[in-house]
Amino acid sequence: MKISFRLNEKMIEIETAPDRRVIDLLREDLGITGTKEGCGSGECGACTVLIDGVSKLSCLMLAAQLEGRSITTIEGLVQDGKLHPVQKAFVSHGAVQCGFCSPGMVMSAVDLLQRNPLPGRQEIRRAVSGNLCRCTGYQKIIDAIQSAAKELD
Amino acid sequence: MTEALAPIGTVLTRSDASAKVQGCEKYAADYYPQGMLWAGVKRSAYAHAKILRIETSKAVEVTGVAAVLTSGDIRGSNRVGVPEMDQPVLADDKVRCKGDPVVLVLAENKKALELALEKIEIDYEVLPAVFDPREALKPDAPLLYEQRPGKNLLLSGTLERGNGAASLKDCKFVVEGRFKLPWQEHAYLETEAGVAGINSEGILEITASTQTPFRDRNELSHALGLPADKIRVTAPYLGGAFGGKDGITVQGLLGLGAMHSGDRPVKMWTSREESFLSSTKRHPAELHYRLGCTQDGILLAMTCEVVLDTGAYAALGGAVLAMVLEHAAGVYRIPNVFIEGFCVYTNNSVASAFRGFGAPQGLAGIEQMIDLLADEAGIDALKFRLKNAVNRGDTTGSGVLMSNSTGIISCLKKVQRHPLWINRQDWVNNAPAFKKRGVGTAAGMQGTGYGPVILDIANAKTELLPDGRFRIYSGVADMGQGNNPTNIHIAGEILNQAPKDFELLQPDTGSCLPSGSSSASRTTFSFGNALIGACKNLKERILTRACNLMMGAYFENLLLARGKVLDMTSGREISLQAIASSMTEQERISIFSYIAPAAKHPESVNSEIRFLGFPHRIFSFACHLALVEIDELSGEIEVCDYLACTDAGRILNPQIYEQQIHGGIVQGMGYVLWEDFRIHNGDVLCRNLATYILPTAVDIPDLQSLAVETEETGPFGMKGVGEIGINLPYPAISNAVAQALGRRIYEGPLTAERVLKCLNSNPTGGKSED
Ligand code: FES
Ligand code: FES
């Protein structure tokens, strides 16, 4: 079937099977590989994207569900060549090691700060608890999100 | 100078972070070459069986299937593995564990691939299997390798010092403990992945998520029957590894696929389930200790028996056993010791390298024993450790001479002076209703490098580019720990250039030089030292050439500055670009080889164990402190505070240093508290991240990290910091939990279920053993 949706601010029309997973559509059909797959079953958060501004797991979504929606992936956060404040904070606070969880983690953090501009540390921990990171121990990720919140505020 | 340089010892934000956080860094999993085929594997349904017949015709007929391959299609030895090449790329005569790869399929898409895999029929003759290492050692146990003289015993080691076990009777206090430690799964976020193809010159090119690109090339050459110069392996940034990609994962299958794909590239990326099923794990261990001391709490004697289940193939199991033996007596002087260890084949999943490499198992044992004995002798746990800990020049209970920097006593003292330790009793006494609190410590070390026999060599290559910038050719993969950015930091310091002035080429067997594995806390230690050598030579060459070009300039008056050489006496300068353009390519490239120091002292262990790495020369040290609160109703353990004091030598970059400490601790917390990787009769029961529970952001407190910076022979005085953090959460938290419960749980992980069982079996909280 043909579906059309907005991808990182650009209208897209694509021919695809309705049951194609969104993550495959992104990575394999559209060739944008920033969104990662760590489990394929909703348990790791590496595939997090924003659908109409709300975080969703792209490994659990099907292409047909994108019709008429607006999807933001990690590639869409950079504006005018500048990193999003959350991305900037991840870099400066050392929140990135292997980096495989980072795109999903950043998307979850962006979603959180839209809903709750000044979250406490526990709120941040809860908000990213669906995003697994095997490298960092999370502390620097929490630091980064907290500092981005202050910067955005 | 406009741009600030980043001196060693200060925070330099990682040069890889920006691309990673934008999603534009390409991992092995992110390659989708034009015209590629998907590769997938039919795995064994049995833990131990003879392969009688493989029927592939129905699979071949599936639309979209390009090739169906079995071991008969392999030209080489069909064996990979280090040091023993015993693991088939595709099983030939028999399968030795569930998950063994038997048939490789190449297909246009994943749907065709799955369908074809279902249509493969394999006839097996099921053989008796063995799943318990102690059973496997019995004379009538089924054999995994009929021809092996040692039968199911991969390797054993014995270590005797002083009067050994006989001295236990001279001790005033003696305690005994039997510990059972679980499997642990690496669970890196990027599962095994790679792509392969044959290029126009007939070279097999493989890009894979691997810690060992150069070793892979040699093994692939052997297994697939291709000369090494016809194989090129490249290693982009890994999405985590922790030892689980120390060796071949999908590379053999990819290579085989590419050789039969009709010149099309091939991609393989395991699902989480397949990764759990087929990847290596941390060795589960059984440890039986006796430990004794004098009236004054001076350690006198220890015995220890270790049994490791290494699963169906050798992998690095023998070397892991050597590390367990080396760390089994911890950081203490114990004059009379008998340690015996067995690493045993079973029909379970393969166990191999995992961050800490055996040290976490050894230390989980000895550090719980120390608490038991300190308790028995009525001495506070830290004082007891301080009484017995090694100084430089001392020998540990395992017979390891502490010839190099030894900061364990400083680590212990720092923890002893910390408010969390000083105020611990008040904190414990203030437990809320239905909660029990406990405080525990543990101390330990981590050996660096490959040990006394196998040379730990790194070969660095660096180039002054024609535009006056520099290139580093890395020989060691960056699995996330940040050795690439650290190499830029190091080279920047020696050459006095800003990070931006460098580009770094990731390991590529076609253009970089073999430098060993990314493992053993040796990656930055060894490659960094080689890189310093290469940069120093290059610097000298640049300054010498500047003398040639600037008539009347003297070497000693020249300063290598950012982008130029400056004559300090006259103020004249010459750009690096001008210098580069006066050089041949050969002159612009500098190569340096570094060999890490190895232990020379004799010791009382058998030669096989020595060959596999016993003893080490350089150690990092640490003391950890854990404060836990247990919910009496749910049995759940909350770690409320956690402190690590680490001696990993001088700190090059405080941010990367802390990353390693934090990451190691939390992986260690997972090991002791939640990560219950279950394998029953060879069946992997944990198939996803819903049943294998990793620590999440809400499960851990903010961690505190202190450093003791002894001076060592790594770059700028550093020692390895990649592993030490994971070694102590197991015993520190177990000790804290034992204090809270008033009794010890000897089998890990300390799940809520086990805690509840312990609470219920002894509600008054008296002291007794499980
Ligand atoms: S890949 Fe979607 S949650 Fe793990
Ligand atoms: S940085 Fe590696 S998984 Fe998070």
Side-chain angles (χ1 to χ4, degrees):
Chain A
M1 76 185 271
K2 225 183 201 74
I3 56 163
S4 52
F5 57 97
R6 196 178 285 277
L7 170 63
N8 298 328
E9 309 286 317
K10 262 208 235 103
M11 276 311 290
I12 295 251
E13 206 179 60
I14 190 170
E15 184 64 45
T16 179
D19 64 346
R20 186 105 173 120
R21 301 185 311 161
V22 168
I23 190 161
D24 297 332
L25 189 77
L26 291 171
R27 294 178 54 88
E28 295 175 24
D29 305 343
L30 296 166
I32 54 170
T33 55
T35 305
K36 306 301 182 199
E37 176 166 355
C39 70
S41 49
E43 290 142 13
C44 77
C47 65
T48 306
V49 296
L50 302 181
I51 304 286
D52 294 333
V54 180
S55 73
K56 292 274 186 263
L57 300 173
S58 62
C59 74
L60 297 183
M61 276 190 86
L62 302 178
Q65 294 173 281
L66 283 183
E67 179 59 41
R69 317 286 290 270
S70 171
I71 172 168
T72 310
T73 68
I74 190 72
E75 288 88 352
L77 282 192
V78 174
Q79 297 278 332
D80 308 321
K82 285 212 178 72
L83 298 190
H84 186 281
V86 171
Q87 291 173 308
K88 235 171 41 195
F90 266 60
V91 173
S92 63
H93 283 80
V96 180
Q97 290 190 32
C98 85
F100 210 75
C101 71
S102 305
M105 198 65 92
V106 166
M107 296 318 269
S108 290
V110 169
D111 173 67
L112 166 71
L113 298 185
Q114 280 167 5
R115 286 182 284 116
N116 181 356
L118 268 184
R121 271 183 101 71
Q122 269 318 312
E123 286 172 298
I124 298 174
R125 285 187 179 277
R126 265 199 300 278
V128 298
S129 65
N131 291 78
L132 295 176
C133 173
R134 192 55 159 162
C135 302
T136 64
Y138 303 104
Q139 190 154 326
K140 291 187 183 299
I141 292 175
I142 314 301
D143 294 345
I145 298 173
Q146 212 170 20
S147 124
K150 286 194 191 119
E151 158 124 21
L152 277 164
D153 194 46
Chain B
M1 201 150 312
T2 47
E3 174 136 357
L5 305 185
I8 286 289
T10 62
V11 171
L12 169 62
T13 41
R14 289 177 56 156
S15 51
D16 57 337
S18 177
K20 286 176 173 177
V21 88
Q22 292 179 66
C24 50
E25 184 63 55
K26 279 222 177 301
Y27 300 82
D30 293 333
Y31 286 78
Y32 296 90
Q34 201 74 48
M36 58 162 250
L37 295 166
W38 283 97
V41 166
K42 177 87 178 176
R43 296 185 183 273
S44 164
Y46 297 98
H48 199 193
K50 245 196 211 131
I51 299 175
L52 300 179
R53 191 182 66 100
I54 302 176
E55 181 52 61
T56 60
S57 55
K58 284 188 199 143
V60 174
E61 279 161 22
V62 172
T63 322
V65 165
V68 181
L69 304 166
T70 65
S71 63
D73 297 300
I74 299 177
R75 275 194 261 142
S77 70
N78 186 25
R79 289 293 183 278
V80 296
V82 155
E84 288 192 42
M85 287 200 165
D86 65 354
Q87 190 158 8
V89 175
L90 288 176
D92 29 39
D93 55 335
K94 67 179 195 172
V95 290
R96 294 183 181 83
C97 66
K98 289 195 181 173
D100 253 351
V102 187
V103 185
L104 179 70
V105 176
L106 307 179
E108 298 289 342
N109 54 59
K110 290 186 239 172
K111 277 194 182 139
L113 183 65
E114 246 161 67
L115 193 61
L117 288 172
E118 273 167 32
K119 292 200 184 267
I120 292 167
E121 290 160 18
I122 306 171
D123 290 344
Y124 292 103
E125 178 194 329
V126 179
L127 300 170
V130 61
F131 305 109
D132 178 300
R134 287 185 195 275
E135 293 295 318
L137 288 177
K138 292 189 175 157
D140 55 347
L143 296 180
L144 275 85
Y145 301 86
E146 293 77 9
Q147 315 300 337
R148 262 187 81 89
K151 300 193 166 174
N152 289 331
L153 178 67
L154 169 62
L155 181 72
S156 66
T158 328
L159 205 153
E160 190 157 13
R161 301 184 60 238
N163 296 324
S167 294
L168 280 169
K169 63 176 185 328
D170 304 328
C171 296
K172 168 76 182 175
F173 303 105
V174 176
V175 289
E176 183 172 5
R178 286 176 196 271
F179 305 93
K180 202 163 178 229
L181 309 176
W183 303 85
Q184 189 181 19
E185 157 62 44
H186 304 80
Y188 24 75
L189 267 245
E190 181 199 30
T191 53
E192 300 75 15
V195 294
I198 312 268
N199 75 8
S200 54
E201 283 143 48
I203 300 203
L204 169 62
E205 295 185 320
I206 300 182
T207 296
S209 192
T210 177
Q211 294 172 241
T212 48
F214 287 91
R215 210 174 79 205
D216 293 354
R217 181 178 57 170
N218 296 342
E219 288 179 47
L220 291 170
S221 160
H222 188 264
L224 301 179
L226 277 178
D229 66 349
K230 288 275 177 273
I231 303 174
R232 174 181 170 201
V233 181
T234 51
Y237 279 104
L238 287 83
F242 316 109
K245 297 169 184 170
D246 188 340
I248 303 271
T249 59
V250 292
Q251 297 90 313
L253 298 164
L254 282 171
L256 175 64
M259 290 165 79
H260 293 86
S261 63
D263 283 340
R264 293 175 66 180
V266 172
K267 177 181 174 102
M268 183 162 172
W269 186 8
T270 60
S271 68
R272 179 58 60 186
E273 180 176 8
E274 187 175 18
S275 175
F276 276 16
L277 197 64
S278 64
S279 69
T280 62
K281 317 280 177 252
R282 183 187 302 289
H283 285 81
E286 286 183 36
L287 302 152
H288 177 202
Y289 273 94
R290 285 193 188 86
L291 185 68
C293 67
T294 65
Q295 171 80 45
D296 306 330
I298 302 298
L299 290 169
L300 204 57
M302 181 186 108
T303 63
C304 171
E305 188 207 46
V306 183
V307 180
L308 299 181
D309 179 352
T310 210
Y313 298 98
L316 292 162
V320 170
L321 176 67
M323 273 293 269
V324 179
L325 301 184
E326 188 174 1
H327 292 73
V331 288
Y332 309 106
R333 290 171 272 108
I334 314 174
N336 305 291
V337 167
F338 181 76
I339 307 176
E340 190 175 27
F342 306 90
C343 192
V344 189
Y345 285 112
T346 66
N347 296 105
N348 287 323
S349 297
V350 182
S352 189
F354 192 150
R355 196 182 206 167
F357 205 81
Q361 289 97 319
L363 292 167
I366 182 67
E367 284 304 292
Q368 294 193 70
M369 292 303 295
I370 291 284
D371 257 43
L372 284 167
L373 187 59
D375 221 23
E376 187 75 19
I379 302 173
D380 122 20
L382 267 186
K383 278 199 193 124
F384 191 91
R385 287 180 168 82
L386 273 163
K387 266 178 197 276
N388 292 289
V390 282
N391 273 302
R392 190 171 190 158
D394 288 340
T395 299
T396 70
S398 290
V400 183
L401 174 67
M402 294 287 120
S403 58
N404 287 52
S405 71
T406 308
I408 185 60
I409 290 185
S410 311
C411 290
L412 287 161
K413 285 189 173 158
K414 266 203 176 181
V415 172
Q416 200 178 33
R417 285 195 300 268
H418 196 277
L420 284 177
W421 178 253
I422 294 172
N423 303 323
R424 66 191 184 283
Q425 204 50 54
D426 283 349
W427 185 80
V428 168
N429 295 343
N430 281 318
F434 303 108
K435 306 268 189 188
K436 287 179 186 290
R437 285 178 169 179
V439 177
T441 58
M445 77 291 214
Q446 174 77 42
T448 296
Y450 300 152
V453 182
I454 296 171
L455 280 186
D456 184 330
I457 310 177
N459 300 293
K461 175 170 156 188
T462 175
E463 178 179 1
L464 171 63
L465 297 168
D467 65 358
R469 295 167 72 252
F470 293 87
R471 179 185 289 153
I472 297 165
Y473 295 79
S474 173
V476 277
D478 190 332
M479 51 180 151
Q481 77 271 49
N483 46 296
N484 286 349
T486 298
N487 286 333
I488 291 174
H489 204 174
I490 289 173
E493 178 86 12
I494 303 287
L495 294 166
N496 203 25
Q497 307 295 307
K500 277 203 182 106
D501 304 328
F502 291 92
E503 58 181 56
L504 185 138
L505 207 67
Q506 306 219 52
D508 175 345
T509 59
S511 56
C512 304
L513 299 171
S515 293
S517 54
S518 279
S519 67
S521 296
R522 51 84 60 185
T523 314
T524 297
F525 190 100
S526 296
F527 190 80
N529 269 336
L531 183 62
I532 288 177
C535 290
K536 282 188 172 162
N537 288 349
L538 189 57
K539 178 177 173 180
E540 193 174 313
R541 220 179 277 166
I542 290 169
L543 294 180
T544 309
R545 180 53 54 91
C547 287
N548 291 138
L549 296 172
M550 299 163 86
M551 306 280 234
Y554 289 88
F555 190 92
E556 59 272 25
N557 297 333
L558 294 183
L559 180 77
L560 177 56
R562 188 164 182 222
K564 64 192 176 194
V565 171
L566 180 73
D567 182 348
M568 294 179 285
T569 52
S570 66
R572 284 190 300 158
E573 15 178 285
I574 180 167
S575 72
L576 290 183
Q577 196 176 358
I579 292 174
S581 66
S582 82
M583 289 176 156
T584 63
E585 189 185 351
Q586 212 179 356
E587 288 173 306
R588 288 188 288 102
I589 292 178
S590 164
I591 289 170
F592 191 87
S593 298
Y594 170 81
I595 300 179
K600 295 281 179 282
H601 62 281
E603 82 306 302
S604 44
V605 78
N606 45 315
S607 58
E608 296 95 322
I609 293 287
R610 188 174 168 86
F611 174 76
L612 288 169
F614 185 113
H616 288 80
R617 172 113 183 227
I618 291 162
F619 289 86
S620 297
F621 297 90
C623 177
H624 287 194
L625 174 64
L627 282 71
V628 306
E629 187 171 281
I630 298 173
D631 187 314
E632 291 177 21
L633 306 175
S634 70
E636 257 157 53
I637 299 171
E638 183 189 344
V639 181
C640 303
D641 272 295
Y642 200 92
L643 167 71
C645 183
T646 312
D647 162 28
R650 293 283 159 83
I651 297 173
L652 305 193
N653 181 343
Q655 193 173 69
I656 293 186
Y657 179 90
E658 249 181 37
Q659 288 182 337
Q660 285 306 305
I661 301 290
H662 288 174
I665 291 172
V666 171
Q667 221 166 33
M669 286 184 178
Y671 182 37
V672 62
L673 291 174
W674 306 291
E675 296 182 30
D676 200 2
F677 200 88
R678 296 208 193 166
I679 300 178
H680 181 67
N681 285 349
D683 253 330
V684 171
L685 303 183
C686 290
R687 301 258 172 159
N688 51 44
L689 292 164
T691 46
Y692 187 64
I693 309 296
L694 301 180
T696 73
V698 289
D699 298 320
I700 46 166
D702 279 329
L703 312 167
Q704 302 188 50
S705 162
L706 302 174
V708 167
E709 295 187 64
T710 60
E711 170 96 32
E712 195 34 75
T713 47
F716 305 98
M718 61 83 78
K719 300 191 268 194
V721 69
E723 297 176 282
I724 181 72
I726 202 172
N727 289 352
L728 299 172
Y730 199 109
I733 290 174
S734 296
N735 287 339
V737 169
Q739 192 197 55
L741 295 176
R743 61 193 302 230
R744 190 169 290 273
I745 301 171
Y746 285 84
E747 182 173 353
L750 309 179
T751 54
E753 197 185 334
R754 289 205 169 100
V755 171
L756 274 186
K757 205 175 124 204
C758 177
L759 278 166
N760 293 340
S761 65
N762 193 1
T764 52
K767 223 157 86 181
S768 71
E769 286 195 357
D770 218 2

